[in-house]
Every structure is written in structure tokens, then in C-alpha cells.
Amino acid sequence: AKSKKQEAAASLKELEAGRKQADAACAKLRKDKKSYEQQIRKKREQIQAINKEIEKMLAESKRKQGSSKSGNKMSQEDIRLASDFSSNKGKLPWPAVGPVIVHFNNRIDASVDLPQSKGIEIALDKNSKVCAIFDGKVIGKSFIRGSGGVCIIIQHGNYYSCYGILKDVKLNVGDNVRT
């Protein structure tokens, strides 16, 4: 039989081993926390850059439309596209096949301080195909710093759709697109 002293020493050894494991787990959590905080900062900056670029492209498009159209009236094609787009609300195709990871006006995680989404985010495999949701015209195309991708805006009459963080975009401003 073990003496009480031997049992106490064995117990102390177990407790010290447990403390070392807990210390290692805490150190890993602190390291992971820093990594996650850095990812959140990057994501916040990316969202802000995308939103700023979208606003800039829309303002530029509206400025051009205002200077090229008398009284800022819509062309017959714009009226047709807007009417067709509006009548297809709820029936428009998805731009890509993949799970929606951020819904409109939501955040990835409510506990994380990120701007609310002005659209949806779809998780895609690399080289996935992305298509326009409706016929229209490309009115903006811009590389988004920090994202490694391109953002394009397509106008459908007086409606717009935006596609961001795209890697290989074959469209240019002024190109017409069809679904």
C-alpha cells in the first residue's frame, strides 16, 4: 500500500500536469484570439472598401447619366429593364451555386462588430462561375484593395446588382450582359 505521502506526491504531480495543459490551452486561445481579431479587422476593412467603391461607382454612373440624358429621364431600354426586373422580384436566379454565409442586412456573427451586409455573401469554391442575375449593362468595375478581387456593378434599368471579390472578370464597363 502506498503511503499518504506517496499518494499526495502522485496527486500533486497530476495536478501540475493538468495545470501545464491548462496553461498551454490558454496560451493557444490567446494566440487564436489575436489571429481572429486580425481576421475581423481585415474583414471590416474589406467590407468598408467594397461599400466605398460601390458608392463611388454608382455616383459616377449617375453623374454620367445626368450629363448624357436630358432631365435625367430613363431610356426606353432602361424602362423595359426596370419593369422586367421589378416583375421578376423573388424569381431571379442566384448568381452562383453555394451556401449563403451572410444574409442581407445581417452580420456573420452578431457578437462581432462588422458593418451590416448590404447584400448576401455566397461561399464559393475557387474558379466557381458567377453569372448576372438579370439582363443589364456593366456600369462599374474596380479592383478592391485588400480583397484580391474585382467588384462589378450591373444596371438593370433603375435597379443594380453588385458582384464582389471576383478573381477573373471578362466583362468591362459598357458591356451588356444577359442571363
Side-chain angles (χ1 to χ4, degrees), residues 84-148:
D84 289 349
F85 188 93
S86 180
S87 65
N88 278 287
K89 279 186 180 178
K91 302 178 229 168
L92 297 169
W94 288 97
V97 177
V100 175
I101 57 171
V102 177
H103 294 272
F104 182 79
N105 235 7
N106 285 335
R107 296 179 177 149
I108 296 170
D109 181 343
S111 67
V112 178
D113 182 27
L114 289 174
Q116 286 191 320
S117 173
K118 293 184 180 181
I120 62 168
E121 286 186 35
I122 301 172
L124 300 176
D125 293 328
K126 192 175 185 177
N127 300 323
S128 292
K129 185 177 179 182
V130 176
C131 299
I133 60 166
F134 201 76
D135 296 351
K137 184 176 188 172
V138 177
I139 62 158
K141 178 180 179 180
S142 181
F143 179 77
I144 306 297
R145 261 184 8 174
S147 75

Side-chain angles (χ1 to χ4, degrees), residues 15-173:
L15 287 172
E16 286 176 354
R19 184 182 52 83
K20 284 181 182 177
Q21 284 181 331
D23 287 348
C26 287
K28 184 179 181 329
L29 286 171
R30 281 190 290 276
K31 182 181 173 188
D32 289 350
K33 179 182 177 187
K34 285 181 182 179
S35 173
Y36 294 140
E37 286 172 342
Q38 184 178 16
Q39 289 175 31
I40 290 168
R41 274 192 303 278
K42 219 176 199 180
K43 181 72 171 176
R44 186 180 301 118
E45 289 168 3
Q46 189 179 62
I47 290 168
Q48 289 169 343
I50 289 170
N51 288 343
K52 185 177 178 182
E53 197 59 36
I54 289 169
E55 289 170 13
K56 186 172 120 185
M57 287 189 283
L58 286 173
E60 177 66 15
S61 174
K62 288 177 182 178
R63 185 190 62 75
K64 284 180 182 176
Q65 285 178 349
S67 65
S68 66
K69 294 181 181 176
S70 60
N72 215 9
K73 292 182 182 174
M74 291 174 52
S75 70
Q76 289 298 320
E77 179 65 7
D78 286 344
I79 293 168
R80 183 193 65 77
L81 280 171
S83 174
D84 289 349
F85 188 93
S86 180
S87 65
N88 278 287
K89 279 186 180 178
K91 302 178 229 168
L92 297 169
W94 288 97
V97 177
V100 175
I101 57 171
V102 177
H103 294 272
F104 182 79
N105 235 7
N106 285 335
R107 296 179 177 149
I108 296 170
D109 181 343
S111 67
V112 178
D113 182 27
L114 289 174
Q116 286 191 320
S117 173
K118 293 184 180 181
I120 62 168
E121 286 186 35
I122 301 172
L124 300 176
D125 293 328
K126 192 175 185 177
N127 300 323
S128 292
K129 185 177 179 182
V130 176
C131 299
I133 60 166
F134 201 76
D135 296 351
K137 184 176 188 172
V138 177
I139 62 158
K141 178 180 179 180
S142 181
F143 179 77
I144 306 297
R145 261 184 8 174
S147 75
V150 172
C151 176
I152 63 168
I153 296 179
I154 299 176
Q155 181 177 9
H156 319 278
N158 59 343
Y159 294 91
Y160 301 88
S161 59
C162 178
Y163 309 80
I165 315 176
L166 305 172
K167 299 296 178 194
D168 185 28
V169 179
K170 294 174 175 55
L171 297 169
N172 292 304
V173 173

